[in-house]
């Protein structure tokens, strides 16, 4: 699901559209044991995110549990199938309103807790970065790494990545 402020609950749980009834992507993944990717989760309207939160609360239940089901907008029940996975991506810290990325919404921590191993951080690999930057530009890497450390320590919304370092060389 490409999450944004216009993502409809219909896209998640299904519902009536101009083309007739369409099943939601969460329902499809849930009932077939597939992977659902929520791209740009922080852009999702918090009210719509509540639908995900309610369903994902049941992901920890074993497949044979009487409560391991969700319902679509018609009221049909769907049992969770083995293999179900849900991955969320985002460019900002999901529990704060972002000033660096427009249209991001503060997401409730209960939704974020549904994801085991949630990680919102910049990847940092100094050995790889130094190889990419080349020896004659290590000063640039040192400056960028110092800025990145300040961003991390102070939790500023100003990512400084290897993409920045590579672009600076051009």
């Amino acid at each position: 699901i490409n999450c944004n402020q216009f993502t409809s609950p219909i896209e998640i749980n299904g519902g009536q559209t101009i083309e007739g009834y369409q099943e939601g992507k969460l329902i499809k993944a849930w009932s077939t044991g597939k992977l659902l990717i929520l791209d740009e989760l922080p852009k999702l309207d918090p009210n719509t995110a509540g639908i995900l939160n309610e369903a994902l609360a049941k992901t920890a239940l074993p497949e044979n549990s009487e409560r391991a089901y969700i319902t679509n907008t018609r009221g049909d029940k769907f049992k969770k199938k083995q293999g179900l996975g849900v991955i969320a991506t985002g460019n900002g810290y999901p529990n704060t309103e972002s000033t660096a990325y427009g249209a991001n919404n503060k997401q409730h921590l209960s939704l974020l807790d549904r994801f085991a191993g949630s990680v919102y951080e910049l990847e940092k690999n100094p050995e790889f970065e130094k190889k990419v930057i080349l020896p004659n530009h290590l000063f640039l890497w040192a400056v960028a790494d110092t800025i990145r450390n300040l961003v991390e320590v102070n939790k500023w919304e100003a990512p400084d990545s290897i993409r920045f370092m590579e672009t600076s060389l051009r």
Side-chain angles (χ1 to χ4, degrees), residues 71-86:
T71 58
N72 63 10
T73 55
R74 290 180 172 169
D76 301 327
K77 292 182 178 182
F78 294 86
K79 288 289 279 178
K80 181 177 74 173
K81 296 285 192 235
Q82 187 173 5
L84 169 71
V86 182

Side-chain angles (χ1 to χ4, degrees), residues 85-158:
V86 182
I87 297 173
T89 70
N91 289 324
Y93 295 102
N95 61 341
T96 61
E97 290 193 24
S98 175
T99 56
Y101 292 98
N104 277 6
N105 294 292
K106 183 177 181 178
Q107 298 298 334
H108 198 275
L109 288 175
S110 65
L111 174 60
L112 303 177
D113 285 344
R114 306 296 181 216
F115 295 92
S118 294
V119 176
Y120 276 81
E121 63 183 50
L122 285 160
E123 183 178 337
K124 192 172 178 179
N125 186 336
E127 291 77 28
F128 172 75
E129 293 167 356
K130 288 176 185 178
K131 288 177 186 173
V132 171
I133 299 303
L134 301 176
N136 56 338
H137 296 331
L138 286 179
F139 175 75
L140 170 66
W141 176 85
V143 169
D145 190 54
T146 300
I147 293 169
R148 179 173 51 198
N149 288 332
L150 286 170
V151 167
E152 288 177 334
V153 167
N154 294 298
K155 301 202 183 309
W156 294 333
E157 285 193 52

Side-chain angles (χ1 to χ4, degrees), residues 57-69 80:
K58 300 177 181 184
T59 56
L61 297 171
E63 288 80 14
N64 58 359
S65 168
E66 288 297 315
R67 297 181 317 138
Y69 70 87
K80 181 177 74 173

